[in-house]
Amino acid sequence: MDRQSIDPLLEIMRRLRDPDDGCEWDKVQTFRTIAPYTIEEAYEVADAINRDDMVSLKDELGDLLLQVVFHSQIASDAGAFAFDDVVTSICEKMIRRHPHIFGEEDQSPGWEQIKAEEREQSGQTSALDGVAIALPALLRAQKIQKRAARVGFDWPDKAPVKEKLLEELDEVEAARDASEVHEEIGDLLFSAVNLARHYQVDAERALSDATAKFTKRFNAVEANVTKNMQEMSLEELEAEWQKAKAIPEAG
């Protein structure tokens, strides 16, 4: 069986974006209006992987590919670049980043060194340049901290990181108004991400797992109680929570 070509999908998107005969919704979209859908599709790919659902993964990868094609067509309409340029760019990048596979060198100079050279060639001057602002906040904080650590801007071990976390908690308590609380909570979260990094824990994944665990336990409480939870006392709710924690599939 012949490999399915990308050409039919490119043609579908070209027709959807046709200024005269295209879809009224598709042809007025821009990079900015489509970007949220691109992020959403990436999360849906991750969700299918977490559920080990190969049927959904196939479909979600198709949806994500459509986003790449959509952005490429918008760029093509503007005369900026086309889908083929996107493919060429990523192929060149992967070959450049793996000289020990595709080049004459026996050993790669290192992923980070290659990426640093790329940032320098692209005119990026700060060690923090290139970390996307649109990343989830915890993930972006983690990446920013890793970048700073590469140039030596980091605590030597976990002890001062723990002290900083407690210090930030005290500053939350000392905040005088909503604006200061907002700022200090942000500092507290940033310090928590830093502590996770020093323990070599992915903060984004850890919080996701903790939220999933809470959801399972809360659902177990909902299934077990016989009256309105809003009418229950804190002691009653705590007792039900402890029962939920004791259930293996809810823990």
Side-chain angles (χ1 to χ4, degrees), residues 63 164 166 179-180 197 201:
D63 291 342
K164 185 63 176 176
L166 295 175
S179 177
E180 286 191 5
R197 184 176 60 84
V201 170

Side-chain angles (χ1 to χ4, degrees), residues 29-248:
Q29 299 308 308
T30 66
F31 294 123
R32 284 184 171 82
T33 61
I34 290 298
Y37 298 100
T38 308
I39 295 170
E40 180 181 337
E41 296 299 349
Y43 276 118
E44 290 182 0
V45 167
D47 179 64
I49 292 172
N50 289 335
R51 292 184 286 106
D52 197 26
D53 186 341
M54 293 299 104
V55 174
S56 292
L57 179 58
K58 177 195 67 177
D59 291 340
E60 298 302 344
L61 286 171
D63 291 342
L64 186 58
L65 177 59
L66 177 64
Q67 294 298 307
V68 177
V69 170
F70 207 148
H71 283 287
S72 298
Q73 185 61 49
I74 294 173
S76 179
D77 294 339
F81 58 82
F83 180 80
D84 286 350
D85 299 313
V86 174
V87 175
T88 297
S89 178
I90 188 59
C91 286
E92 290 177 349
K93 180 185 293 184
M94 295 309 294
I95 292 172
R96 183 172 64 249
R97 290 183 174 181
H98 298 83
H100 57 303
I101 302 297
F102 301 105
E104 298 179 354
E105 301 179 31
D106 294 331
Q107 188 174 5
S108 172
W111 183 261
E112 295 302 336
Q113 180 181 334
I114 292 173
K115 290 172 69 176
E117 292 172 354
E118 289 177 352
R119 287 195 292 271
E120 183 178 349
Q121 291 172 3
S122 65
Q124 297 177 4
T125 57
S126 170
L128 307 183
D129 285 346
V131 180
I133 295 176
L135 286 172
L138 282 181
L139 179 57
R140 186 165 190 268
Q142 193 164 260
K143 285 182 173 291
I144 288 288
Q145 291 173 6
K146 285 182 178 179
R147 289 283 190 89
R150 286 180 200 151
V151 295
F153 197 86
D154 196 13
W155 297 108
D157 53 53
K158 301 181 186 71
V161 182
K162 294 177 183 178
E163 293 176 6
K164 185 63 176 176
L165 185 63
L166 295 175
E167 176 186 321
E168 296 297 349
L169 184 59
D170 289 339
E171 291 183 3
V172 170
E173 293 293 325
R176 295 168 294 182
D177 54 39
S179 177
E180 286 191 5
V181 171
H182 173 93
E183 180 179 354
E184 298 303 342
I185 288 289
D187 291 344
L188 178 66
L189 291 171
F190 193 80
S191 294
V193 171
N194 204 14
L195 183 61
R197 184 176 60 84
H198 275 265
Y199 273 100
Q200 298 183 335
V201 170
D202 185 315
E204 186 78 16
R205 181 64 181 272
L207 181 58
S208 177
D209 290 345
T211 302
K213 181 170 63 176
F214 174 86
T215 301
K216 289 181 181 179
R217 290 176 177 175
F218 186 83
N219 289 341
V221 171
E222 287 181 312
N224 194 50
V225 298
T226 57
K227 58 182 179 180
N228 191 323
M229 290 176 64
Q230 292 180 326
E231 299 173 354
M232 297 174 65
S233 67
L234 183 60
E235 290 74 17
E236 290 175 314
L237 290 172
E238 176 62 22
E240 293 297 336
W241 182 257
Q242 293 303 321
K243 291 179 185 176
K245 288 178 65 176
I247 302 173

